[in-house]
Amino acid sequence: MKKYLITICLLILSAATAGCWNLKEPDQLAIVIGGGLDINAEGRLDVSSQIAVPAGLGGPDTGPSKKKSFVVVSATGKDFMDAGQNLQTQLSRTLFYAHRQTLLIGQRMAEQGMDKYLDMVVRNPKSEMRSVIFVVKDGTAKEILATEPVFDPLISTALGSVQLALGMKPYYYREFLCDSRTKGGAVLLPAISYNASTKRFIYAGAAILNKENSHRLGGFLKPDESYYANWIKGRQRALTVSTSGTQSNGSISLRAQALKSRIGVVKDSKGMRIHIQLSGKGNLVENNTMRDPSQGKELRKIEESLSREAEQAVNKLVRKAQGQYKADIFGIGKHVHRKFPGEWKSLQNNWNETFSRLPITVEVQLRYEDPGQTNSSI
């Protein structure tokens, strides 16, 4: 009889103590979809959060009954968590960061350096490492978070797709951390800007954060320059290359895919040399010339023209990185480290200076697979 009583008591206790007693229900949470970090005019940290409004996500897309799908709240503080606590005072629900999809860095903050702001995002167990990260050129993160996208209900989901639409691999915060931990060189972050006339965001290229200077902003690459830089880094999946056409002599465009990159490091009596090999193949998507790609001789000329065009653009970018920015934005230091780990110990602390003096050669080979639905231009 005692055994049965003990069993019944255990069952009652297990039923009473089971369940998620220490967790909050969804209607008690303010789900943060996007986060923004800015430095305001007084030099204080300004944290913004885009919070999803569930009632607006499932409602009608247009009409007077349409509800907003998000709200943006901001607060200042000594550091990220202090600002977050001040931000919490504006909400009746508990901030929940585990679903954050986007992290935006305002230009003013990037100019001051990112080092002292990296700790919280790593240390906090509730922080989402798969957030895509952008630098806001000529603006603030708060401006971008407040914009309404064209196709998506939330700007954060739209920003997560913009790199895919441009043929790039999405750049996540965890990759930013990995790139930041290695010594020497610079980190290349995608950049966006706010268009005041259309009240939309636009892709603005890439921001250069110097790892040898507290991850301070060193400058920006234009959108077309960022495509070639990502190609070298192995982060570009597709790219359109066009020849320099004139009014009398038209241009040809190739949509290149299967992009490949190889960085070779050679050391001899003359010192260290770098050779960058880029290749890709794709389809001709426009031909405004008299050349007929169905003819072998003409085809080779087309491929040579396209390869030469891309090669000139990459060479110009390399000169800009070495001369204007003096920063290894291509990750060449990683290849030097693998090839010559012993020498890297003496080079890593001042690698950008060494990089700016390295002889670098570039070779591009583009091939086409499909001339399209016609031969010569109609």
Side-chain angles (χ1 to χ4, degrees):
M1 184 67 181
K2 288 183 178 180
K3 292 182 178 179
Y4 290 113
L5 288 174
I6 293 172
T7 303
I8 292 172
C9 289
L10 289 174
L11 289 172
I12 293 173
L13 287 171
S14 64
T17 58
C20 300
W21 58 271
N22 64 335
L23 297 180
K24 294 182 180 293
E25 295 296 328
D27 60 0
Q28 296 176 298
L29 300 175
I31 300 176
V32 177
I33 303 299
L37 300 176
D38 291 303
I39 297 295
N40 62 20
E42 291 75 32
R44 288 174 59 83
L45 176 65
D46 192 357
V47 174
S48 304
S49 292
Q50 185 188 68
I51 299 170
V53 179
L57 292 173
D61 294 335
T62 57
S65 61
K66 178 187 177 183
K67 295 182 179 180
K68 202 166 184 178
S69 58
F70 66 90
V71 63
V72 177
V73 290
S74 303
T76 59
K78 302 172 185 176
D79 56 23
F80 194 98
M81 292 310 296
D82 184 47
Q85 183 171 257
N86 295 333
L87 193 151
Q88 182 65 74
T89 62
Q90 306 174 39
L91 302 168
S92 60
R93 296 186 180 188
T94 304
L95 288 165
F96 185 70
Y97 294 96
H99 290 308
R100 186 189 61 217
Q101 299 177 14
T102 305
L103 186 62
L104 302 178
I105 310 298
Q107 179 169 333
R108 186 178 293 172
M109 169 171 279
E111 288 172 346
Q112 293 192 9
M114 289 296 300
D115 276 3
K116 60 182 178 181
Y117 300 107
L118 298 178
D119 183 83
M120 173 271 161
V121 186
V122 182
R123 192 178 302 276
N124 190 345
K126 296 180 181 180
S127 183
E128 176 53 72
M129 294 293 162
R130 292 173 296 179
S131 304
V132 292
I133 179 170
F134 289 84
V135 172
V136 182
K137 181 181 180 182
D138 299 326
T140 64
K142 188 189 303 185
E143 287 177 322
I144 300 296
L145 290 175
T147 60
E148 294 190 17
V150 178
F151 300 108
D152 301 276
L154 300 168
I155 189 68
S156 296
T157 53
L159 290 174
S161 303
V162 64
Q163 289 173 287
L164 290 172
L166 291 170
M168 306 175 196
K169 296 179 182 179
Y171 193 77
Y172 298 109
Y173 189 83
R174 62 188 179 190
E175 296 174 78
F176 171 53
L177 289 177
C178 291
D179 290 343
S180 300
R181 286 182 61 84
T182 58
K183 289 188 177 182
V187 179
L188 206 60
L189 289 184
I192 53 175
S193 62
Y194 178 73
N195 189 321
S197 60
T198 62
K199 296 183 179 180
R200 310 285 186 193
F201 74 87
I202 57 174
Y203 177 73
I208 301 171
L209 301 186
N210 193 332
K211 291 193 286 184
E212 299 177 9
N213 191 18
S214 302
H215 287 87
R216 280 187 171 87
L217 179 67
F220 290 94
L221 297 182
K222 297 176 183 178
D224 57 335
E225 293 173 332
S226 72
Y227 305 147
Y228 288 108
N230 281 312
W231 187 0
I232 296 172
K233 292 170 65 68
R235 301 195 56 82
Q236 192 75 25
R237 293 171 173 168
L239 174 67
T240 299
V241 179
S242 302
T243 60
S244 300
T246 61
Q247 190 170 5
S248 58
N249 184 19
S251 62
I252 299 177
S253 294
L254 175 80
R255 183 60 177 173
Q257 296 176 329
L259 301 180
K260 295 181 181 180
S261 171
R262 183 179 181 276
I263 298 178
V265 183
V266 178
K267 189 173 182 295
D268 52 26
S269 58
K270 296 181 181 180
M272 189 178 296
R273 292 178 288 109
I274 308 297
H275 183 61
I276 300 174
Q277 289 181 302
L278 302 175
S279 63
K281 54 185 178 181
N283 302 331
L284 292 181
V285 290
E286 188 169 1
N287 179 14
N288 297 317
T289 70
M290 297 305 295
R291 289 179 174 172
D292 184 353
S294 65
Q295 304 296 321
K297 185 177 180 180
E298 292 291 298
L299 171 61
R300 285 190 293 273
K301 288 182 179 180
I302 291 173
E303 291 178 336
E304 288 173 2
S305 297
L306 290 165
S307 299
R308 186 170 59 252
E309 192 76 29
E311 197 170 286
Q312 290 173 352
V314 175
N315 272 313
K316 184 178 179 181
L317 176 61
V318 169
R319 290 194 300 270
K320 188 174 185 177
Q322 290 185 297
Q324 180 177 341
Y325 297 123
K326 298 187 185 305
D328 177 13
I329 62 176
F330 310 115
I332 292 175
K334 294 180 182 179
H335 297 272
V336 175
H337 185 193
R338 295 192 195 105
K339 191 77 176 287
F340 304 105
E343 293 191 27
W344 177 249
K345 293 180 181 180
S346 62
L347 295 173
Q348 59 183 352
N349 291 326
N350 197 26
W351 170 244
N352 280 335
E353 184 62 31
T354 303
F355 164 79
S356 64
R357 299 192 305 265
L358 281 176
I360 300 176
T361 55
V362 177
E363 178 186 354
V364 179
Q365 290 185 344
L366 290 174
R367 299 288 181 266
Y368 99 108
E369 293 182 317
D370 188 350
Q373 299 187 65
T374 185
N375 295 332
S376 59
S377 174
I378 60 175

